[in-house]
Amino acid sequence: MAGSTYGDIFRITTWGESHGRGLGVVVDGCPAGITLDEHIIQHYMDRRKPGGIKYSTPRKEGDRIEIMSGVFEGRTTGTPISMMVINENQRSGDYSEIASYYRPGHADYTFDKKYGFRDYRGGGRSSGRETIGRVAGGAVALQLLKEIGIEVMAYTKQIGPVAVNVDRFSKSDILASDLYMPDGDASRKAAEYLDGMMRKQDSAGGIVECIVKGIPAGLGEPVFDKLDAGLAKAVMSIGAVKGVEIGAGFRVSAMSGSQNNDEYEMSDGDVVKRTNNSGGVTGGMSDGADIILRAAFKPTPSIAATQRTVNKNGENIEIHIKGRHDPVIVPRAVVVVEAMTGITVADMLLKNMTANLDNVRKVYCR
């Protein structure tokens, strides 16, 4: 299977399946000297792990991260960082029935057509547990960014029809909310909406928004390796994401040029923008403003309600999916969006160091 590696200089390779022995990641290209230990990584893992709230799958996993290499005395050594999590609570029997048919909204059919074989236990590599490696690798990237003053913050912007009111935005509410919403009132209404969906044996989708602060201007390449293109690829690679927009996103199609253009002005000797419709990326490169991106997540495809599908014998059948599933993916996906954004920005930062001679002189000329 190709496609399990992401990044050019700061690069992650993830491995493992939902019901295998474990899952993990190898991070290569990370500079030496970054403060790092298992407690730092675990903070991010705990935000992703299942069983924390009633809107999460009841599968109980500690998701305890182990650093196997690349860290010594609390600092990165510059060598590959290998990390893993052991699966503790697999119930593969919950999935034995689905070996004979294709679940709507899942990758069962496409896996069979591509490989002629699939790991039906929880979806294998297409399971949400695949994101363990992304989050662990992203935690390293986010620690790198933190040490140079760049902050990456993601949160739930919307669940179903319930959206955050920007006038009530509170950063402290994000971690206080089971749904990671920065608006207490919206969080309560979203919880009520989810309760209703669960009673109907259905599921919900939503939107995650991510903001990157403190990023310098000039990251990204102006043609194929644009910063916004890289961010879109990184976030779209998350299994349940069906749409990504940056800045004003699809709203720009209804704007005029005079409305959409971000005008510049001087402020304390710096060039700044009066608005940020570009979402911090102009011409494929960061423009110094906050990067703002949003990811649209589809509803969880595993629902208990009756669905129609076909089996491997080509027969039309009705199914009732069993097992332990999230009624909404969004809250646990917040940290995944944060991680993939951090990896992309860290990689672009390292690549940008060779963009002009002045940067090279800063490193090698005394």
Side-chain angles (χ1 to χ4, degrees), residues 22-58:
L23 306 97
V25 64
V26 176
V27 180
D28 205 1
C30 179
I34 298 169
T35 301
L36 193 70
D37 60 27
E38 288 168 347
H39 293 96
I40 291 172
I41 307 294
Q42 193 64 50
H43 166 72
Y44 294 93
M45 302 302 294
D46 288 346
R47 291 168 58 194
R48 195 223 71 91
K49 74 179 182 181
I53 60 172
K54 74 173 182 177
Y55 306 113
S56 164
T57 168

PDB file of all heavy atoms in Angstrom, residues 22-58:
ATOM      1  N   GLY A  22      -1.273  -2.991  17.137  1.00  0.00           N
ATOM      2  CA  GLY A  22      -1.109  -1.601  17.541  1.00  0.00           C
ATOM      3  C   GLY A  22      -0.992  -0.704  16.336  1.00  0.00           C
ATOM      4  O   GLY A  22      -1.097  -1.143  15.188  1.00  0.00           O
ATOM      5  N   LEU A  23      -0.777   0.584  16.606  1.00  0.00           N
ATOM      6  CA  LEU A  23      -0.617   1.583  15.550  1.00  0.00           C
ATOM      7  C   LEU A  23       0.500   2.535  15.941  1.00  0.00           C
ATOM      8  O   LEU A  23       0.831   2.669  17.124  1.00  0.00           O
ATOM      9  CB  LEU A  23      -1.906   2.379  15.331  1.00  0.00           C
ATOM     10  CG  LEU A  23      -3.186   1.600  15.068  1.00  0.00           C
ATOM     11  CD1 LEU A  23      -3.975   1.444  16.350  1.00  0.00           C
ATOM     12  CD2 LEU A  23      -4.050   2.300  14.011  1.00  0.00           C
ATOM     13  N   GLY A  24       1.063   3.219  14.941  1.00  0.00           N
ATOM     14  CA  GLY A  24       2.135   4.140  15.283  1.00  0.00           C
ATOM     15  C   GLY A  24       2.579   4.988  14.117  1.00  0.00           C
ATOM     16  O   GLY A  24       1.937   5.040  13.067  1.00  0.00           O
ATOM     17  N   VAL A  25       3.710   5.650  14.332  1.00  0.00           N
ATOM     18  CA  VAL A  25       4.232   6.593  13.353  1.00  0.00           C
ATOM     19  C   VAL A  25       5.740   6.678  13.486  1.00  0.00           C
ATOM     20  O   VAL A  25       6.292   6.487  14.576  1.00  0.00           O
ATOM     21  CB  VAL A  25       3.589   7.990  13.564  1.00  0.00           C
ATOM     22  CG1 VAL A  25       3.975   8.575  14.928  1.00  0.00           C
ATOM     23  CG2 VAL A  25       3.979   8.963  12.456  1.00  0.00           C
ATOM     24  N   VAL A  26       6.400   6.938  12.367  1.00  0.00           N
ATOM     25  CA  VAL A  26       7.816   7.291  12.372  1.00  0.00           C
ATOM     26  C   VAL A  26       7.923   8.717  11.838  1.00  0.00           C
ATOM     27  O   VAL A  26       7.411   9.022  10.753  1.00  0.00           O
ATOM     28  CB  VAL A  26       8.650   6.336  11.503  1.00  0.00           C
ATOM     29  CG1 VAL A  26      10.112   6.804  11.453  1.00  0.00           C
ATOM     30  CG2 VAL A  26       8.568   4.909  12.032  1.00  0.00           C
ATOM     31  N   VAL A  27       8.531   9.597  12.624  1.00  0.00           N
ATOM     32  CA  VAL A  27       8.727  10.992  12.236  1.00  0.00           C
ATOM     33  C   VAL A  27      10.186  11.161  11.840  1.00  0.00           C
ATOM     34  O   VAL A  27      11.094  10.881  12.621  1.00  0.00           O
ATOM     35  CB  VAL A  27       8.397  11.953  13.400  1.00  0.00           C
ATOM     36  CG1 VAL A  27       8.621  13.399  12.974  1.00  0.00           C
ATOM     37  CG2 VAL A  27       6.971  11.743  13.877  1.00  0.00           C
ATOM     38  N   ASP A  28      10.422  11.593  10.612  1.00  0.00           N
ATOM     39  CA  ASP A  28      11.788  11.822  10.143  1.00  0.00           C
ATOM     40  C   ASP A  28      11.947  13.293   9.784  1.00  0.00           C
ATOM     41  O   ASP A  28      10.980  13.973   9.448  1.00  0.00           O
ATOM     42  CB  ASP A  28      12.078  10.954   8.917  1.00  0.00           C
ATOM     43  CG  ASP A  28      13.560  10.669   8.729  1.00  0.00           C
ATOM     44  OD1 ASP A  28      14.359  11.139   9.565  1.00  0.00           O
ATOM     45  OD2 ASP A  28      13.906   9.985   7.770  1.00  0.00           O
ATOM     46  N   GLY A  29      13.170  13.791   9.875  1.00  0.00           N
ATOM     47  CA  GLY A  29      13.438  15.176   9.511  1.00  0.00           C
ATOM     48  C   GLY A  29      13.174  16.178  10.609  1.00  0.00           C
ATOM     49  O   GLY A  29      13.201  17.390  10.369  1.00  0.00           O
ATOM     50  N   CYS A  30      12.928  15.700  11.829  1.00  0.00           N
ATOM     51  CA  CYS A  30      12.690  16.621  12.939  1.00  0.00           C
ATOM     52  C   CYS A  30      14.027  17.128  13.468  1.00  0.00           C
ATOM     53  O   CYS A  30      14.919  16.330  13.767  1.00  0.00           O
ATOM     54  CB  CYS A  30      11.922  15.911  14.056  1.00  0.00           C
ATOM     55  SG  CYS A  30      11.595  16.957  15.482  1.00  0.00           S
ATOM     56  N   PRO A  31      14.198  18.426  13.619  1.00  0.00           N
ATOM     57  CA  PRO A  31      15.466  18.958  14.130  1.00  0.00           C
ATOM     58  C   PRO A  31      15.766  18.459  15.543  1.00  0.00           C
ATOM     59  O   PRO A  31      14.859  18.163  16.319  1.00  0.00           O
ATOM     60  CB  PRO A  31      15.246  20.475  14.134  1.00  0.00           C
ATOM     61  CG  PRO A  31      14.127  20.712  13.173  1.00  0.00           C
ATOM     62  CD  PRO A  31      13.249  19.504  13.272  1.00  0.00           C
ATOM     63  N   ALA A  32      17.038  18.380  15.862  1.00  0.00           N
ATOM     64  CA  ALA A  32      17.458  18.027  17.215  1.00  0.00           C
ATOM     65  C   ALA A  32      17.224  19.203  18.161  1.00  0.00           C
ATOM     66  O   ALA A  32      17.190  20.365  17.743  1.00  0.00           O
ATOM     67  CB  ALA A  32      18.932  17.640  17.221  1.00  0.00           C
ATOM     68  N   GLY A  33      17.057  18.877  19.445  1.00  0.00           N
ATOM     69  CA  GLY A  33      17.001  19.920  20.468  1.00  0.00           C
ATOM     70  C   GLY A  33      15.635  20.381  20.880  1.00  0.00           C
ATOM     71  O   GLY A  33      15.502  21.279  21.727  1.00  0.00           O
ATOM     72  N   ILE A  34      14.570  19.788  20.326  1.00  0.00           N
ATOM     73  CA  ILE A  34      13.213  20.179  20.702  1.00  0.00           C
ATOM     74  C   ILE A  34      12.821  19.455  21.990  1.00  0.00           C
ATOM     75  O   ILE A  34      13.034  18.252  22.129  1.00  0.00           O
ATOM     76  CB  ILE A  34      12.213  19.826  19.584  1.00  0.00           C
ATOM     77  CG1 ILE A  34      12.555  20.590  18.304  1.00  0.00           C
ATOM     78  CG2 ILE A  34      10.777  20.127  20.014  1.00  0.00           C
ATOM     79  CD1 ILE A  34      11.788  20.121  17.094  1.00  0.00           C
ATOM     80  N   THR A  35      12.253  20.179  22.933  1.00  0.00           N
ATOM     81  CA  THR A  35      11.781  19.567  24.169  1.00  0.00           C
ATOM     82  C   THR A  35      10.629  18.618  23.860  1.00  0.00           C
ATOM     83  O   THR A  35       9.635  19.008  23.255  1.00  0.00           O
ATOM     84  CB  THR A  35      11.297  20.641  25.161  1.00  0.00           C
ATOM     85  OG1 THR A  35      12.381  21.532  25.449  1.00  0.00           O
ATOM     86  CG2 THR A  35      10.802  20.004  26.453  1.00  0.00           C
ATOM     87  N   LEU A  36      10.780  17.346  24.270  1.00  0.00           N
ATOM     88  CA  LEU A  36       9.760  16.359  23.923  1.00  0.00           C
ATOM     89  C   LEU A  36       9.822  15.177  24.887  1.00  0.00           C
ATOM     90  O   LEU A  36      10.907  14.698  25.214  1.00  0.00           O
ATOM     91  CB  LEU A  36       9.960  15.852  22.490  1.00  0.00           C
ATOM     92  CG  LEU A  36       8.802  15.051  21.893  1.00  0.00           C
ATOM     93  CD1 LEU A  36       7.593  15.939  21.623  1.00  0.00           C
ATOM     94  CD2 LEU A  36       9.233  14.358  20.604  1.00  0.00           C
ATOM     95  N   ASP A  37       8.665  14.744  25.353  1.00  0.00           N
ATOM     96  CA  ASP A  37       8.574  13.503  26.116  1.00  0.00           C
ATOM     97  C   ASP A  37       7.182  12.928  25.924  1.00  0.00           C
ATOM     98  O   ASP A  37       6.333  13.518  25.237  1.00  0.00           O
ATOM     99  CB  ASP A  37       8.900  13.704  27.604  1.00  0.00           C
ATOM    100  CG  ASP A  37       7.968  14.692  28.303  1.00  0.00           C
ATOM    101  OD1 ASP A  37       6.799  14.845  27.861  1.00  0.00           O
ATOM    102  OD2 ASP A  37       8.400  15.317  29.289  1.00  0.00           O
ATOM    103  N   GLU A  38       6.914  11.774  26.519  1.00  0.00           N
ATOM    104  CA  GLU A  38       5.641  11.099  26.314  1.00  0.00           C
ATOM    105  C   GLU A  38       4.465  11.877  26.895  1.00  0.00           C
ATOM    106  O   GLU A  38       3.348  11.790  26.394  1.00  0.00           O
ATOM    107  CB  GLU A  38       5.718   9.689  26.893  1.00  0.00           C
ATOM    108  CG  GLU A  38       6.611   8.785  26.040  1.00  0.00           C
ATOM    109  CD  GLU A  38       6.956   7.471  26.705  1.00  0.00           C
ATOM    110  OE1 GLU A  38       6.726   7.344  27.926  1.00  0.00           O
ATOM    111  OE2 GLU A  38       7.470   6.570  26.009  1.00  0.00           O
ATOM    112  N   HIS A  39       4.689  12.652  27.950  1.00  0.00           N
ATOM    113  CA  HIS A  39       3.601  13.445  28.536  1.00  0.00           C
ATOM    114  C   HIS A  39       3.104  14.511  27.560  1.00  0.00           C
ATOM    115  O   HIS A  39       1.899  14.790  27.484  1.00  0.00           O
ATOM    116  CB  HIS A  39       4.061  14.094  29.841  1.00  0.00           C
ATOM    117  CG  HIS A  39       4.325  13.113  30.949  1.00  0.00           C
ATOM    118  ND1 HIS A  39       5.584  12.645  31.219  1.00  0.00           N
ATOM    119  CD2 HIS A  39       3.489  12.494  31.805  1.00  0.00           C
ATOM    120  CE1 HIS A  39       5.512  11.791  32.223  1.00  0.00           C
ATOM    121  NE2 HIS A  39       4.262  11.676  32.597  1.00  0.00           N
ATOM    122  N   ILE A  40       4.032  15.114  26.830  1.00  0.00           N
ATOM    123  CA  ILE A  40       3.650  16.131  25.845  1.00  0.00           C
ATOM    124  C   ILE A  40       2.807  15.503  24.744  1.00  0.00           C
ATOM    125  O   ILE A  40       1.744  16.031  24.363  1.00  0.00           O
ATOM    126  CB  ILE A  40       4.910  16.808  25.254  1.00  0.00           C
ATOM    127  CG1 ILE A  40       5.585  17.664  26.323  1.00  0.00           C
ATOM    128  CG2 ILE A  40       4.550  17.647  24.030  1.00  0.00           C
ATOM    129  CD1 ILE A  40       6.934  18.222  25.908  1.00  0.00           C
ATOM    130  N   ILE A  41       3.239  14.351  24.236  1.00  0.00           N
ATOM    131  CA  ILE A  41       2.495  13.665  23.182  1.00  0.00           C
ATOM    132  C   ILE A  41       1.139  13.191  23.709  1.00  0.00           C
ATOM    133  O   ILE A  41       0.110  13.305  23.034  1.00  0.00           O
ATOM    134  CB  ILE A  41       3.284  12.458  22.647  1.00  0.00           C
ATOM    135  CG1 ILE A  41       4.706  12.868  22.220  1.00  0.00           C
ATOM    136  CG2 ILE A  41       2.544  11.811  21.477  1.00  0.00           C
ATOM    137  CD1 ILE A  41       4.778  13.788  21.067  1.00  0.00           C
ATOM    138  N   GLN A  42       1.121  12.684  24.938  1.00  0.00           N
ATOM    139  CA  GLN A  42      -0.101  12.114  25.499  1.00  0.00           C
ATOM    140  C   GLN A  42      -1.221  13.134  25.628  1.00  0.00           C
ATOM    141  O   GLN A  42      -2.405  12.796  25.500  1.00  0.00           O
ATOM    142  CB  GLN A  42       0.193  11.487  26.866  1.00  0.00           C
ATOM    143  CG  GLN A  42      -0.925  10.595  27.388  1.00  0.00           C
ATOM    144  CD  GLN A  42      -1.153   9.382  26.497  1.00  0.00           C
ATOM    145  OE1 GLN A  42      -0.205   8.675  26.154  1.00  0.00           O
ATOM    146  NE2 GLN A  42      -2.391   9.144  26.102  1.00  0.00           N
ATOM    147  N   HIS A  43      -0.859  14.383  25.863  1.00  0.00           N
ATOM    148  CA  HIS A  43      -1.865  15.448  25.942  1.00  0.00           C
ATOM    149  C   HIS A  43      -2.712  15.484  24.679  1.00  0.00           C
ATOM    150  O   HIS A  43      -3.949  15.641  24.743  1.00  0.00           O
ATOM    151  CB  HIS A  43      -1.169  16.800  26.151  1.00  0.00           C
ATOM    152  CG  HIS A  43      -2.055  17.982  25.927  1.00  0.00           C
ATOM    153  ND1 HIS A  43      -3.064  18.340  26.799  1.00  0.00           N
ATOM    154  CD2 HIS A  43      -2.098  18.889  24.902  1.00  0.00           C
ATOM    155  CE1 HIS A  43      -3.683  19.420  26.325  1.00  0.00           C
ATOM    156  NE2 HIS A  43      -3.123  19.761  25.184  1.00  0.00           N
ATOM    157  N   TYR A  44      -2.082  15.324  23.534  1.00  0.00           N
ATOM    158  CA  TYR A  44      -2.805  15.325  22.260  1.00  0.00           C
ATOM    159  C   TYR A  44      -3.543  14.006  22.051  1.00  0.00           C
ATOM    160  O   TYR A  44      -4.677  13.993  21.547  1.00  0.00           O
ATOM    161  CB  TYR A  44      -1.841  15.582  21.101  1.00  0.00           C
ATOM    162  CG  TYR A  44      -1.225  16.960  21.132  1.00  0.00           C
ATOM    163  CD1 TYR A  44       0.009  17.182  21.744  1.00  0.00           C
ATOM    164  CD2 TYR A  44      -1.879  18.045  20.563  1.00  0.00           C
ATOM    165  CE1 TYR A  44       0.572  18.444  21.797  1.00  0.00           C
ATOM    166  CE2 TYR A  44      -1.323  19.317  20.604  1.00  0.00           C
ATOM    167  CZ  TYR A  44      -0.096  19.511  21.226  1.00  0.00           C
ATOM    168  OH  TYR A  44       0.454  20.765  21.285  1.00  0.00           O
ATOM    169  N   MET A  45      -2.919  12.905  22.432  1.00  0.00           N
ATOM    170  CA  MET A  45      -3.561  11.604  22.277  1.00  0.00           C
ATOM    171  C   MET A  45      -4.857  11.513  23.078  1.00  0.00           C
ATOM    172  O   MET A  45      -5.841  10.925  22.626  1.00  0.00           O
ATOM    173  CB  MET A  45      -2.606  10.493  22.726  1.00  0.00           C
ATOM    174  CG  MET A  45      -1.272  10.449  22.000  1.00  0.00           C
ATOM    175  SD  MET A  45      -1.442  10.257  20.213  1.00  0.00           S
ATOM    176  CE  MET A  45      -2.151   8.629  20.135  1.00  0.00           C
ATOM    177  N   ASP A  46      -4.875  12.111  24.262  1.00  0.00           N
ATOM    178  CA  ASP A  46      -6.064  12.053  25.115  1.00  0.00           C
ATOM    179  C   ASP A  46      -7.235  12.808  24.494  1.00  0.00           C
ATOM    180  O   ASP A  46      -8.405  12.475  24.762  1.00  0.00           O
ATOM    181  CB  ASP A  46      -5.758  12.629  26.500  1.00  0.00           C
ATOM    182  CG  ASP A  46      -4.875  11.709  27.334  1.00  0.00           C
ATOM    183  OD1 ASP A  46      -4.714  10.534  26.957  1.00  0.00           O
ATOM    184  OD2 ASP A  46      -4.332  12.183  28.356  1.00  0.00           O
ATOM    185  N   ARG A  47      -6.958  13.820  23.695  1.00  0.00           N
ATOM    186  CA  ARG A  47      -8.029  14.555  23.032  1.00  0.00           C
ATOM    187  C   ARG A  47      -8.648  13.736  21.898  1.00  0.00           C
ATOM    188  O   ARG A  47      -9.797  13.972  21.513  1.00  0.00           O
ATOM    189  CB  ARG A  47      -7.500  15.885  22.488  1.00  0.00           C
ATOM    190  CG  ARG A  47      -7.135  16.884  23.569  1.00  0.00           C
ATOM    191  CD  ARG A  47      -6.347  18.059  22.997  1.00  0.00           C
ATOM    192  NE  ARG A  47      -7.086  18.747  21.942  1.00  0.00           N
ATOM    193  CZ  ARG A  47      -6.522  19.615  21.107  1.00  0.00           C
ATOM    194  NH1 ARG A  47      -5.223  19.899  21.223  1.00  0.00           N
ATOM    195  NH2 ARG A  47      -7.243  20.199  20.172  1.00  0.00           N
ATOM    196  N   ARG A  48      -7.901  12.791  21.364  1.00  0.00           N
ATOM    197  CA  ARG A  48      -8.369  11.971  20.239  1.00  0.00           C
ATOM    198  C   ARG A  48      -8.981  10.637  20.659  1.00  0.00           C
ATOM    199  O   ARG A  48      -9.822  10.070  19.949  1.00  0.00           O
ATOM    200  CB  ARG A  48      -7.175  11.683  19.313  1.00  0.00           C
ATOM    201  CG  ARG A  48      -7.525  11.159  17.921  1.00  0.00           C
ATOM    202  CD  ARG A  48      -6.622  10.022  17.512  1.00  0.00           C
ATOM    203  NE  ARG A  48      -6.926   8.840  18.294  1.00  0.00           N
ATOM    204  CZ  ARG A  48      -7.809   7.902  17.937  1.00  0.00           C
ATOM    205  NH1 ARG A  48      -8.472   8.000  16.812  1.00  0.00           N
ATOM    206  NH2 ARG A  48      -8.038   6.866  18.728  1.00  0.00           N
ATOM    207  N   LYS A  49      -8.588  10.125  21.835  1.00  0.00           N
ATOM    208  CA  LYS A  49      -8.930   8.742  22.182  1.00  0.00           C
ATOM    209  C   LYS A  49     -10.433   8.553  22.364  1.00  0.00           C
ATOM    210  O   LYS A  49     -11.154   9.492  22.711  1.00  0.00           O
ATOM    211  CB  LYS A  49      -8.171   8.303  23.434  1.00  0.00           C
ATOM    212  CG  LYS A  49      -8.670   8.884  24.740  1.00  0.00           C
ATOM    213  CD  LYS A  49      -7.830   8.345  25.896  1.00  0.00           C
ATOM    214  CE  LYS A  49      -8.340   8.862  27.229  1.00  0.00           C
ATOM    215  NZ  LYS A  49      -7.516   8.373  28.364  1.00  0.00           N
ATOM    216  N   PRO A  50     -10.919   7.316  22.167  1.00  0.00           N
ATOM    217  CA  PRO A  50     -12.353   7.036  22.283  1.00  0.00           C
ATOM    218  C   PRO A  50     -12.794   6.908  23.732  1.00  0.00           C
ATOM    219  O   PRO A  50     -11.985   6.769  24.645  1.00  0.00           O
ATOM    220  CB  PRO A  50     -12.489   5.689  21.568  1.00  0.00           C
ATOM    221  CG  PRO A  50     -11.172   5.015  21.802  1.00  0.00           C
ATOM    222  CD  PRO A  50     -10.155   6.135  21.751  1.00  0.00           C
ATOM    223  N   GLY A  51     -14.117   6.972  23.926  1.00  0.00           N
ATOM    224  CA  GLY A  51     -14.697   6.674  25.228  1.00  0.00           C
ATOM    225  C   GLY A  51     -14.712   7.806  26.222  1.00  0.00           C
ATOM    226  O   GLY A  51     -15.124   7.627  27.368  1.00  0.00           O
ATOM    227  N   GLY A  52     -14.302   9.016  25.809  1.00  0.00           N
ATOM    228  CA  GLY A  52     -14.220  10.117  26.761  1.00  0.00           C
ATOM    229  C   GLY A  52     -15.551  10.786  27.055  1.00  0.00           C
ATOM    230  O   GLY A  52     -15.761  11.311  28.146  1.00  0.00           O
ATOM    231  N   ILE A  53     -16.467  10.775  26.086  1.00  0.00           N
ATOM    232  CA  ILE A  53     -17.769  11.421  26.256  1.00  0.00           C
ATOM    233  C   ILE A  53     -18.850  10.500  25.697  1.00  0.00           C
ATOM    234  O   ILE A  53     -18.563   9.534  24.991  1.00  0.00           O
ATOM    235  CB  ILE A  53     -17.825  12.786  25.537  1.00  0.00           C
ATOM    236  CG1 ILE A  53     -17.579  12.618  24.025  1.00  0.00           C
ATOM    237  CG2 ILE A  53     -16.826  13.752  26.136  1.00  0.00           C
ATOM    238  CD1 ILE A  53     -17.790  13.860  23.221  1.00  0.00           C
ATOM    239  N   LYS A  54     -20.115  10.832  25.978  1.00  0.00           N
ATOM    240  CA  LYS A  54     -21.181   9.936  25.516  1.00  0.00           C
ATOM    241  C   LYS A  54     -21.396  10.032  24.007  1.00  0.00           C
ATOM    242  O   LYS A  54     -22.076   9.186  23.420  1.00  0.00           O
ATOM    243  CB  LYS A  54     -22.477  10.224  26.254  1.00  0.00           C
ATOM    244  CG  LYS A  54     -23.209  11.502  25.858  1.00  0.00           C
ATOM    245  CD  LYS A  54     -24.560  11.548  26.570  1.00  0.00           C
ATOM    246  CE  LYS A  54     -25.359  12.761  26.183  1.00  0.00           C
ATOM    247  NZ  LYS A  54     -26.696  12.774  26.811  1.00  0.00           N
ATOM    248  N   TYR A  55     -20.813  11.056  23.377  1.00  0.00           N
ATOM    249  CA  TYR A  55     -20.940  11.192  21.936  1.00  0.00           C
ATOM    250  C   TYR A  55     -19.766  10.547  21.208  1.00  0.00           C
ATOM    251  O   TYR A  55     -19.542  10.781  20.030  1.00  0.00           O
ATOM    252  CB  TYR A  55     -21.055  12.677  21.556  1.00  0.00           C
ATOM    253  CG  TYR A  55     -22.172  13.360  22.308  1.00  0.00           C
ATOM    254  CD1 TYR A  55     -21.905  14.350  23.251  1.00  0.00           C
ATOM    255  CD2 TYR A  55     -23.493  12.985  22.103  1.00  0.00           C
ATOM    256  CE1 TYR A  55     -22.928  14.955  23.962  1.00  0.00           C
ATOM    257  CE2 TYR A  55     -24.529  13.587  22.815  1.00  0.00           C
ATOM    258  CZ  TYR A  55     -24.234  14.565  23.740  1.00  0.00           C
ATOM    259  OH  TYR A  55     -25.263  15.149  24.443  1.00  0.00           O
ATOM    260  N   SER A  56     -19.002   9.741  21.910  1.00  0.00           N
ATOM    261  CA  SER A  56     -17.875   9.007  21.353  1.00  0.00           C
ATOM    262  C   SER A  56     -18.181   7.525  21.426  1.00  0.00           C
ATOM    263  O   SER A  56     -18.997   7.074  22.243  1.00  0.00           O
ATOM    264  CB  SER A  56     -16.600   9.326  22.151  1.00  0.00           C
ATOM    265  OG  SER A  56     -15.588   8.386  21.890  1.00  0.00           O
ATOM    266  N   THR A  57     -17.522   6.734  20.574  1.00  0.00           N
ATOM    267  CA  THR A  57     -17.659   5.289  20.656  1.00  0.00           C
ATOM    268  C   THR A  57     -17.346   4.818  22.072  1.00  0.00           C
ATOM    269  O   THR A  57     -16.422   5.319  22.716  1.00  0.00           O
ATOM    270  CB  THR A  57     -16.692   4.583  19.676  1.00  0.00           C
ATOM    271  OG1 THR A  57     -16.658   3.184  19.987  1.00  0.00           O
ATOM    272  CG2 THR A  57     -15.290   5.120  19.791  1.00  0.00           C
ATOM    273  N   PRO A  58     -18.095   3.838  22.599  1.00  0.00           N
ATOM    274  CA  PRO A  58     -17.805   3.332  23.939  1.00  0.00           C
ATOM    275  C   PRO A  58     -16.581   2.431  24.015  1.00  0.00           C
ATOM    276  O   PRO A  58     -16.252   1.945  25.090  1.00  0.00           O
ATOM    277  CB  PRO A  58     -19.091   2.554  24.295  1.00  0.00           C
ATOM    278  CG  PRO A  58     -19.690   2.177  22.986  1.00  0.00           C
ATOM    279  CD  PRO A  58     -19.350   3.294  22.045  1.00  0.00           C
TER     280      PRO A  58
END
